[in-house]
Amino acid sequence: MTTPCPRFLFIIAGLILLIFSGCHRGASPGKSEDLQASAGTALEENRPDEAEQILSKASDSPEKHLLYGRIFASKGEYKKALDEYSAVTEKDGELYYKALCAGGELQISGGNVKAAEKLYHRAVELFPSFSDARLGMAEVFLETGQPQAALGEISIAEKSSSGGEYIGVLKARCQLRLQHFNEAEKILKQTIKRYPDSIQSYLILAGMLADRDEVPKSQVLLSRALTLSPDKDARKEILQLQARNYSRLGDEKKFQEVLKTLSGEHPQPWFSHQVRGEVLFAEKKWQEAVREFETALSLSPGNIDLHLNLGHL
């Protein structure tokens, strides 16, 4: 029997090694970028599960971790999202900065302001002239009752940013915290004039009008905001404020209609109790609000928003 040539065995071994290393590496760079783009499109079209499935086929990279973070965040899986952002390291440069800012935003939304401050502070240290982390620090200062310090961060951010809708909204929120209501209203109207699709500006201004008992004007702004194709979270906020307004007007029929719409879009059993609790809270019916929030929390014990609502009471 003929003995195989050593060189032939070496070639075969090399081919096997290439096959296995290719399996471990995942898709080729070009294909991986296409997969990430497809996953990003699916996420933008509110198909997070499909986005996750597509992205699983892409090669490991900082960009992949960032996109996974966005996917998990959109599904409310915040711990998974934070884990993905944490997988991006300092050697990844600006992508690390983006991961720090994304993590800070998640921590803010979850009420973990100290953790958010740490992430934003590190981002500012690395890229002091970039605006996103400065605006994140402004959010931190707002959450900790320091609106003047927040305005300072916004001022720095404006030097490297064209301004934009978000900065206008953030400035208005600072003025509200300072109880400079006329200035806040002025900023919001200027923002709407410059950015007619500024849903957050309409929402905040509608809330101000409702608090001044100018409920019909508030409802007009909310109706306008609903025509601007708000995302799921913004639409929920708009409908919740509409429900509170109908309750203030004593229009139980309209209140129930909006509540039915909200419950249809958010079928979780705790949700209607949360909305009722927020309406009662706005009407300063504290004990009744607590009962609604506690009922909601018994149905969804891990819900961060409900814990925050009870914390305010």
Side-chain angles (χ1 to χ4, degrees), residues 15-89:
L15 287 170
I16 292 171
L17 182 63
L18 280 171
I19 291 168
F20 276 95
S21 64
C23 290
H24 285 293
R25 279 197 304 268
S28 63
K31 186 177 180 183
S32 188
E33 289 176 6
D34 291 341
L35 287 167
Q36 287 179 34
S38 297
T41 299
L43 181 60
E44 292 299 322
E45 294 175 355
N46 199 27
R47 294 180 279 123
D49 291 332
E50 183 181 336
E52 184 180 352
Q53 186 178 12
I54 294 169
L55 191 60
S56 68
K57 301 171 186 175
S59 302
D60 188 51
S61 68
E63 292 88 351
K64 180 178 179 178
H65 288 296
L66 281 170
L67 187 48
Y68 258 142
R70 287 176 53 206
I71 290 169
F72 290 134
S74 74
K75 296 164 70 173
E77 299 176 15
Y78 296 143
K79 186 181 184 305
K80 285 185 179 180
L82 289 169
D83 287 344
E84 291 296 333
Y85 294 142
S86 297
V88 185
T89 63

Side-chain angles (χ1 to χ4, degrees), residues 76 78 270 296-308:
Y78 296 143
W270 52 267
L297 198 57
S298 70
L299 297 168
S300 180
N303 191 305
I304 293 172
D305 289 337
L306 293 172
H307 281 287
L308 290 173

